[in-house]
């Protein structure tokens, strides 16, 4: 068969799978179920929406119960804990499969791009039916067809790709908000990070394709989008007609009907004045900025290959706060990078105290095989890391609490996102700065923007009430 596009080819295989699924349905006298479990970041969530979309087109019914006819884990490997989690879950899954040998178990995502992981899976987890990586997710329907029609294990991992295949069936988790990929991969090679090895080199999508996707989403009821990339600030540099991330944002703000724009993740080394200016001048861009610091020590930043200094970072924070006064700032910190001394750690605390982040994601350094940092001497002792980590949390929590109190009593706009799982007759949403707010209300509010009075601050979220 000759196909004009990759999308066309995948739709062909979706049809072929649908026929097989239909036969199985008839035999069993019920629909087949599929459970996709996502680990890791927003990009993996976005990928999973495609996987679910493709499975739904094939005729599977989506479920979140792993007692399903097909279970697919979309994995993350950014820290070793993420890998441990998968091995644990696989143990549990093998018991389920013993009772239902027809069940298909698949694994995909970042962890599959590590050879030692796939070797281990092949040796010790023989019940797995399907393995594929981050570069050939678009191929999923074809791989599924092979598995369904030939009844043997299917494995396909590519070393890399220059393809961008985005136009695949998708089932969005939320009807009113969506992630939008603007770029893939990463060229930064921070010395601790495995992402460039598992997600490949940086590739940007064409601005016109991005705009078209967002327009389609808006026509379909989406009011908030999150532009996704490992380093959105370097968006567009490798395009035939290069454009800056700030310029892309400017174009996105012009889309009628779109109410809120977020983006993730920014690298401080590429944060431009132009971007800060665009944020300042558009009401649609949410007042939220995630700017990973990792460490406040110049020496450690150099070892991490981050290309900025403590003072450079603090300057960026100052510029952002000056230009967008009530911006919600968040960051990532790694504790216990090889060679980190108490003095280095004090530098990190100093930047945190000066920057007054609204929230901080704190990570213990995790040694990732194949990265330069894994080979560095002076890996820090566990007890020292734990002690620093606890001290860090104290400072971070204290500041977050103080920050959240600053808005008490304000009336702010909230996008209501979901029913509150714990409180009856409550719904939950987010402020422009990304803080969560719980308010009394029902399902009819979901997907709408509401004015909310922030009555009570509870550490990391507010309790509020609708005001009209
Ligand atoms: N160990 C600990 N944290 C890490 N991160 C990335 N790699 C590692 C690692 N090896 C953190 C960084 C990054 C976030 C997504 O995960 O803080 O910003
Ligand atoms: Fe995890 Fe990074 Fe892969 Fe996202 S890109 S799933 S954070 S390893």
């Amino acid at each position: 068969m000759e196909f004009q596009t990759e999308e066309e080819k995948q739709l062909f295989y979706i049809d072929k799978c649908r026929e097989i699924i239909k036969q199985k349905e008839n035999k069993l006298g019920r629909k087949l179920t599929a459970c996709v479990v996502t680990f890791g970041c927003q990009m993996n969530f976005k990928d999973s929406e495609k996987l679910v979309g493709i499975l739904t087109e094939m005729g599977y019914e989506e479920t979140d119960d792993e007692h399903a006819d097909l279970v697919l884990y979309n994995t993350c490997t950014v820290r070793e804990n993420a890998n441990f989690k998968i091995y644990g879950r696989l143990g549990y899954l093998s018991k389920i499969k013993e009772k239902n040998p027809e069940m298909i178990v698949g694994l995909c995502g970042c962890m599959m791009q590590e050879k030692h992981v796939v070797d281990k899976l092949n040796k010790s987890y023989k019940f797995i039916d399907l393995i594929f990586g981050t570069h050939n997710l678009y191929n999923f329907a074809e791989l599924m067809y092979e598995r369904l029609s030939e009844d043997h294990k299917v494995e396909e991992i590519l070393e890399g790709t220059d393809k961008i295949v985005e136009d695949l069936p998708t089932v969005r988790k939320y009807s009113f908000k969506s992630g939008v990929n603007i770029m893939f991969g990463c060229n930064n090679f921070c010395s601790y990070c495995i992402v460039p090895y598992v997600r490949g080199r940086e590739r940007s999508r064409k601005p016109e394709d991005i705009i078209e996707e967002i327009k389609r989403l808006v026509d379909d009821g989406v009011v908030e989008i999150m532009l996704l990339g490992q380093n959105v600030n370097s968006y567009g540099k490798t395009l035939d007609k290069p454009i800056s991330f700030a310029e892309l944002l400017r174009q996105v703000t012009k889309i009628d009907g779109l109410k809120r724009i977020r983006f993730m993740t920014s690298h401080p080394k590429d944060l431009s004045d132009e971007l800060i200016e665009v944020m300042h001048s558009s009401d649609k861009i949410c007042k939220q900025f995630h700017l990973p610091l990792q460490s406040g020590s110049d020496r450690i930043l150099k070892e991490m290959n981050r290309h900025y200094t403590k003072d450079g970072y603090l300057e960026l924070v100052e510029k952002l706060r000056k230009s967008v006064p009530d911006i919600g700032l968040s960051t990532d910190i790694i504790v216990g990078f090889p060679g980190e001394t108490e003095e280095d750690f004090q530098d990190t605390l100093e930047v945190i105290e000066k920057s007054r982040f609204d929230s901080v994601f704190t990570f213990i350094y995790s040694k990732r095989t194949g990265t330069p940092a894994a080979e560095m001497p002076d890996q820090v002792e566990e007890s020292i890391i734990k002690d620093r980590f606890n001290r860090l949390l104290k400072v971070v929590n204290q500041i977050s609490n103080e920050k959240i109190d600053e808005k008490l009593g304000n009336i702010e706009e909230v996008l209501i996102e979901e029913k509150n799982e714990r409180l009856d007759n409550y719904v939950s949403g987010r402020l422009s700065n990304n803080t969560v707010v719980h308010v009394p209300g029902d399902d009819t509010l979901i997907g709408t923007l509401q004015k909310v009075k922030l009555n009570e601050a509870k550490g990391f979220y507010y309790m509020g009430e609708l005001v009209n």
Side-chain angles (χ1 to χ4, degrees), residues 438-453:
H438 306 298
V439 292
D442 60 31
D443 293 13
T444 58
L445 295 169
I446 293 173
T448 65
L449 283 157
Q450 299 289 340
K451 291 253 178 287
V452 168
K453 178 148 188 248

Side-chain angles (χ1 to χ4, degrees), residues 113 134-135 159-161 184-189 194-203 230:
Q113 294 296 139
T134 56
H135 301 301
E159 285 294 313
T161 183
F184 306 89
C186 180
N187 285 353
N188 290 326
F189 291 95
I194 201 160
V195 170
Y197 307 91
V198 297
R199 286 267 173 181
R201 292 295 65 72
E202 205 170 283
R203 284 157 292 136
Q230 298 297 348

Side-chain angles (χ1 to χ4, degrees), residues 283-298:
D283 287 341
K284 287 190 185 176
I285 302 174
C286 287
K287 297 185 191 321
Q288 173 201 5
F289 211 105
H290 185 63
L291 193 63
L293 167 68
Q294 314 300 2
S295 167
S297 151
D298 286 346

Side-chain angles (χ1 to χ4, degrees), residues 312-357:
Y313 185 93
L314 285 168
E315 264 170 43
L316 289 176
V317 169
E318 204 182 307
K319 273 196 218 169
L320 278 166
R321 288 217 189 277
K322 208 163 150 197
S323 189
V324 190
D326 48 352
I327 197 163
L329 267 188
S330 58
T331 199
D332 293 340
I333 301 288
I334 297 177
V335 182
F337 182 83
E340 184 190 72
T341 62
E342 178 60 26
E343 203 185 334
D344 295 320
F345 178 65
Q346 287 300 329
D347 281 336
T348 301
L349 289 182
E350 187 192 325
V351 179
I352 289 175
E353 271 159 4
K354 287 189 171 152
S355 303
R356 298 190 55 76
F357 296 107

Side-chain angles (χ1 to χ4, degrees), residues 78-79 192 294 332 334 363-366 368:
V78 73
R79 287 168 292 274
Y192 50 82
Q294 314 300 2
D332 293 340
I334 297 177
F363 304 109
I364 286 177
Y365 168 73
S366 170
R368 307 311 289 125

